[in-house]
Amino acid sequence: MQGNMSKTGPGKLALGPTRPMETSVDYTAKLDDAIQKLHDEGRYRTFIDIERRNGNFPHAVWTRPDGSEQDITVWCGNDYLGMGQHPVVLEAMHEAIKSTGAGSGGTRNISGTTVYHKKLEAELADLHGKEASLLFTSAYIANDATLSTLPKLFPGLIIYSDALNHASMIEGVRRNGGAKRIFRHNDVAHLRELLEADDPAAPKLIAFESIYSMDGDFGPIEEICDLADEFGALTYIDEVHAVGMYGPRGGGVTERDRLAHRIDIINGTLAKAYGVMGGYIAASEKMCDAIRSYAPGFIFTTSLPPAVAAGAAASVAYLKTAPELRERHQTQASILKLRLKGMGLPIIDHGSHIVPVIVGNPVHTKKLSDMLLESFGIYVQPINFPTVPRGTERLRFTPSPVHGPDEMNRLVQAMDELWSHCALNRAELAG
Ligand code: PLP
C-alpha cells in the first residue's frame, strides 16, 4: 500500500495525507477501547513465553518478562500423549529435513504435493477406514474450508450444527452462504425438531464433535447417525480431541464405538495427540476429490512442510500400535479427577481425559493461574469467555502419560492450598 498517496480526483493519486484531519477516525483510541473492554471484564489474555526442552516434557522453561528463567510443569498443553518429543516422530522429521529440506515449495496443486503428504494421507485414510483423506495446514482450516465449501457441492444444503461446536466449524458454517440451524448442545430431540421442520427433499448435513474440549463431554454419535439415516442427512464429526487417544488404533471415539462407517466426513488434527501440526478430513474418495477441487482453504495456500507431514505420519503409525499409551493417559486423567474431587473441588467429569475445574469468575481464574505459576511453577492457562460461557471460567488440566506421580502430587497440593487461600467454596461448588 502506498499510504502517503491520496485521490485528488477521478483516478488520480497525489502525494499527501490520506485522511483529512477533520474527518479522521481515531483508530488508536478505538484499539485502546477494544483492549480496555477486555481488561474491564478481566479477560484480557496474556501468554507466557515457554521453551519446551526436548526429552523433558512436561517440563519447560518459562522466561519471565525480566529475562529470568524458571522451570515449570505444563499442565494445559494438548500434546496429550507427549508425542511432540517422541523419538520416532523426531527421527522421521530429521530424516525428512535431511532428505528434502524445509518447506514444500508450493500449494498442493502447484508442486507442493510430495510423497510425504501422500503417505500421511494414506495413513489417515487407513486410520479411519475411509477411502481417502485430505490434508490441511490445521484442523481449524480443515473445518472452515470444508464446511464453507459443502454448499457449493450440494446447492440448498442445510447444516445442522451443535451449539457448542468449535469456532472453526462455526466460521465455516457462518460464511458458507447456505442455510444453518443450531441445535442445543447434544440435544437430539431438538435436532429432530429442526430436521422435521425442513423440506424433506433438501440436502442436509449434521455437524458435531465427538469430544467437546472444554467440558470433556461426548457427542451422542449413534443417535445423531440414526437421525441422519432417518432424514437422509450427511454426517460431519470433529474428532480433534479424540484422534490418537480413543479406539484400538487411535481412530477416535468413532473407532472406539464402531461408528466410523456411519460418518461421512471425519475431521482430525495432527497437532494434539499426534504432537506435530496440521489437520485433515477423512471421507470417500469422491468427497475428498470434490473438496480438494473446490475449497479455497485447500487450494490457495502452501502445503505443510514435508518434515511435518513425515513426523505426523510417523506419529499416526506409531499410535496405531500403542494402546498402552492410551490406557496410561486415561488412568492419569482418572487419578487426577479422583484426587481433585476428593478435595471437594468443582470438577466436570464426563469420563474423558479432560479435567476442567470450574472457578466461575474470570478474575479469580486468572489469579489462581498466576499464583500456580509464580509460587508452584505449575502452568495452566485460564480459560475465559468466549472460549467458555461467562460464569464458567475455569482451569483446564490435561494430564498425560508423561506427567509422573511427583508432578501430580505437586499439582494436587498446590490446588488444595490455593483453593483455601482464595477462600473458594468447595462443598457448595462441588455440588
Ligand atoms: N476443532 C476443535 C474442537 C478444537 O478444539 C481445535 C483446536 O483447539 C480445532 C478444531 C483446531 O485444531 P488445530 O489446532 O489443528 O487447528
Side-chain angles (χ1 to χ4, degrees):
M1 263 318 267
Q2 291 162 310
N4 61 344
M5 293 180 136
S6 63
K7 279 199 168 193
T8 54
K12 288 203 184 120
L13 290 168
L15 289 175
T18 40
R19 302 174 195 116
M21 286 309 288
E22 64 274 13
T23 59
S24 73
V25 176
D26 189 341
Y27 292 98
T28 306
K30 291 210 178 294
L31 293 176
D32 285 340
D33 288 349
I35 290 166
Q36 189 56 45
K37 184 166 177 281
L38 299 178
H39 280 294
D40 292 346
E41 292 174 11
R43 60 185 184 94
Y44 176 74
R45 292 170 196 231
T46 53
F47 312 118
I48 68 166
D49 298 340
I50 66 169
E51 186 180 351
R52 303 205 311 161
R53 297 266 161 94
N54 189 9
N56 205 21
F57 187 63
H59 293 274
V61 174
W62 167 38
T63 305
R64 296 165 183 271
D66 66 6
S68 62
E69 293 187 342
Q70 182 180 336
D71 199 52
I72 57 163
T73 307
V74 179
W75 273 100
C76 59
N78 283 334
D79 186 353
Y80 288 123
L81 302 175
M83 292 302 288
Q85 295 184 354
H86 196 287
V88 163
V89 174
L90 302 189
E91 224 167 86
M93 295 186 77
H94 282 301
E95 194 51 49
I97 286 183
K98 240 193 292 161
S99 313
T100 197
S104 74
T107 63
R108 283 298 293 270
N109 293 346
I110 306 175
S111 89
T113 294
T114 70
V115 289
Y116 298 95
H117 298 87
K118 297 303 283 185
K119 181 164 182 280
L120 176 53
E121 284 178 340
E123 202 65 80
L124 292 166
D126 169 72
L127 176 69
H128 294 293
K130 298 291 179 196
E131 289 172 357
S133 84
L134 200 58
L135 276 178
F136 294 81
T137 42
S138 72
Y140 185 106
I141 301 292
N143 272 336
D144 181 52
T146 305
L147 289 168
S148 62
T149 297
L150 287 168
K152 292 184 205 160
L153 308 174
F154 306 107
L157 180 72
I158 305 170
I159 297 187
Y160 301 79
S161 181
D162 187 285
L164 291 192
N165 275 343
H166 187 255
S168 53
M169 297 168 89
I170 294 171
E171 276 305 310
V173 172
R174 180 186 286 159
R175 59 185 196 78
N176 72 12
K180 66 167 192 284
R181 317 273 182 257
I182 311 298
F183 60 96
R184 288 188 293 272
H185 177 53
N186 276 355
D187 187 338
V188 283
H190 188 217
L191 174 59
R192 167 179 285 284
E193 259 175 50
L194 294 172
L195 286 161
E196 279 172 347
D198 282 320
D199 177 1
K204 301 178 176 73
L205 177 135
I206 307 169
F208 63 113
E209 299 184 20
S210 61
I211 298 181
Y212 291 84
S213 68
M214 288 301 139
D215 283 359
D217 55 330
F218 293 87
I221 304 174
E222 188 161 21
E223 287 107 306
I224 287 180
C225 289
D226 289 346
L227 278 179
D229 286 349
E230 189 180 333
F231 289 89
L234 296 170
T235 46
Y236 183 105
I237 196 165
D238 176 315
E239 285 254 45
V240 159
H241 291 276
V243 287
M245 292 171 279
Y246 292 81
R249 298 195 313 153
V253 182
T254 50
E255 188 199 20
R256 184 195 72 180
D257 296 351
R258 299 172 188 274
L259 292 167
H261 64 287
R262 299 189 65 189
I263 302 287
D264 294 290
I265 303 175
I266 297 176
N267 165 281
T269 187
L270 302 162
K272 299 187 193 290
Y274 292 120
V276 191
M277 190 187 174
Y280 64 90
I281 56 164
S284 68
E285 187 80 54
K286 198 153 278 178
M287 183 71 82
C288 288
D289 192 27
I291 299 291
R292 180 187 71 81
S293 308
Y294 279 86
F298 177 85
I299 300 169
F300 298 107
T301 187
T302 300
S303 63
L304 286 171
V308 168
S315 189
V316 174
Y318 180 86
L319 286 182
K320 282 178 182 172
T321 60
E324 69 288 347
L325 208 52
R326 280 184 278 284
E327 277 159 28
R328 281 221 304 280
H329 182 217
Q330 293 295 324
T331 305
Q332 289 287 80
S334 303
I335 294 173
L336 182 59
K337 282 188 279 194
L338 212 66
R339 293 187 67 181
L340 294 176
K341 256 192 239 177
M343 289 161 20
L345 298 200
I347 78 155
I348 303 179
D349 184 6
H350 290 285
S352 75
H353 60 283
I354 294 164
V355 185
V357 176
I358 302 294
V359 182
N361 170 302
V363 178
H364 287 159
T365 313
K366 170 89 172 70
K367 186 130 189 94
L368 272 174
S369 163
D370 288 347
M371 288 192 294
L372 280 168
L373 185 67
E374 291 282 350
S375 310
F376 300 92
I378 289 170
Y379 175 38
V380 56
Q381 188 72 28
I383 310 266
N384 292 328
F385 176 83
T387 308
V388 295
R390 288 179 214 273
T392 71
E393 291 80 4
R394 65 195 65 187
L395 299 175
R396 174 183 177 274
F397 296 97
T398 52
S400 81
V402 292
H403 287 85
D406 285 351
E407 280 106 4
M408 182 92 77
N409 285 342
R410 259 182 265 129
L411 171 65
V412 169
Q413 280 157 15
M415 284 297 283
D416 196 16
E417 200 175 313
L418 288 182
W419 214 260
S420 301
H421 177 84
C422 296
L424 289 164
N425 199 324
R426 296 180 194 244
E428 201 181 307
L429 280 169

